[in-house]
Amino acid sequence: MEALTALLQSQLFSIAGQPVSVVEAIGFLTGALCVWAVARGSILNWPLGLANNLAFLVLFAGVGLYADAALQVAFGVLGVYGWIVWARRTRDGAGVASAVPIRRARGRELIVGTLIALVATVGVGYLLAAETNSQVPWPDAFILAFSLFATWGQARKLLEQWWIWIAVDVVSIPLYLVKGLWLTALLYTGFLALCVYGLARWTREYRAGRADDDLAAPAGRGAQPVPAGRGAQRVPAGRGAERLETREPAEIEARA
């Protein structure tokens, strides 16, 4: 085990005179693939994320970022949970299975989640400052608490999780530069760009899903869905066009 740890922490190459270890390179690769998969909405982000957690656990423990190292364990637990949630299928009224949809966070979810993350930041920060030799307890604690909050939101497919990840990345980049983790700082810069991309992509998909729901919903309380029969013809939607016209108006009026 010690030989494997030594191999993982051995220098692979250097960037601007800063050494890059084997495990940091592994973390870079798996992390980049993971965030790209999240942005694309691929369930493969979860196994990639678990591999990334293991690599960063070894990396952060080796440079004294204890909160970040502990965070990887929590990430692993949430990763299994997220994998299960994303693998589930929801069913609509017709019994058709589909993937869990993107949704907006409820006000209560955001308020309670933010308060818990802030309390956790204060508690972990004091613990690191008092009980470890960490030189950066407060940013380390912030990253731990709000990364967990963001991962929970990611597992629930909440659109707002991207904003939390953006805040985490903004704090993480200078922290890793200070600790000499240049490749990891570069990775988190890429994470930041991918988070902006993911936010834009998920926003488009969320709006498209809402538009589809609006089209599928009945026009009013007394409205009945028009049956798709031989007489029903679909016509293009335009400003003055109807969504559906039929050759059997009497039958539709009788049903309404």
Side-chain angles (χ1 to χ4, degrees):
M1 189 65 179
E2 292 181 1
L4 177 60
T5 302
L7 174 63
L8 291 173
Q9 294 179 341
S10 63
Q11 181 177 339
L12 184 62
F13 56 87
S14 62
I15 298 178
Q18 294 292 327
V20 175
S21 65
V22 173
V23 72
E24 188 175 3
I26 294 173
F28 179 92
L29 179 61
T30 55
L33 290 173
C34 174
V35 177
W36 177 82
V38 175
R40 301 289 296 179
S42 171
I43 197 172
L44 290 176
N45 83 85
W46 296 110
L48 286 168
L50 291 174
N52 181 254
N53 300 152
L54 184 59
F56 276 154
L57 173 62
V58 176
L59 176 66
F60 292 144
V63 296
L65 291 174
Y66 304 116
D68 276 4
L71 177 61
Q72 304 310 310
V73 178
F75 273 165
V77 175
L78 283 173
V80 173
Y81 166 71
W83 198 347
I84 293 172
V85 171
W86 280 41
R88 289 176 183 166
R89 297 286 177 175
T90 59
R91 293 187 177 274
D92 60 17
V96 178
S98 60
V100 176
I102 297 168
R103 69 176 178 87
R104 298 295 301 268
R106 303 181 183 91
R108 181 178 179 182
E109 290 174 325
L110 287 176
I111 293 172
V112 173
T114 301
L115 288 176
I116 292 175
L118 288 173
V119 171
T121 299
V122 173
V124 173
Y126 273 114
L127 181 63
L128 291 175
E131 302 297 334
T132 73
N133 61 352
S134 175
Q135 299 174 344
V136 285
W138 296 107
D140 205 9
F142 174 87
I143 292 170
L144 183 152
F146 280 86
S147 291
L148 291 176
F149 184 21
T151 303
W152 175 82
Q154 178 183 325
R156 306 295 297 177
K157 277 199 169 181
L158 303 182
L159 184 61
E160 288 77 6
Q161 56 101 4
W162 290 111
W163 289 108
I164 306 172
W165 280 125
I166 288 171
V168 168
D169 293 340
V170 168
V171 174
S172 298
I173 293 167
L175 174 63
Y176 297 143
L177 286 174
V178 168
K179 299 299 290 185
L181 300 174
W182 286 62
L183 188 61
T184 302
L186 178 62
L187 172 64
Y188 273 73
T189 303
F191 281 174
L192 183 58
L194 283 170
C195 283
V196 174
Y197 165 73
L199 176 62
R201 183 183 178 92
W202 278 37
T203 299
R204 288 195 302 269
E205 291 184 9
Y206 170 75
R207 289 173 178 171
R210 289 292 300 272
D212 290 343
D213 289 344
D214 290 342
L215 290 176
R221 181 175 296 182
Q224 298 290 332
V226 179
R230 290 184 179 179
Q233 301 291 330
R234 292 191 177 274
V235 297
R239 285 188 178 180
E242 296 293 332
R243 294 287 176 186
L244 193 65
E245 69 178 15
T246 180
R247 298 173 183 173
E248 300 169 356
E251 180 181 348
I252 296 176
E253 292 176 3
R255 288 178 176 270

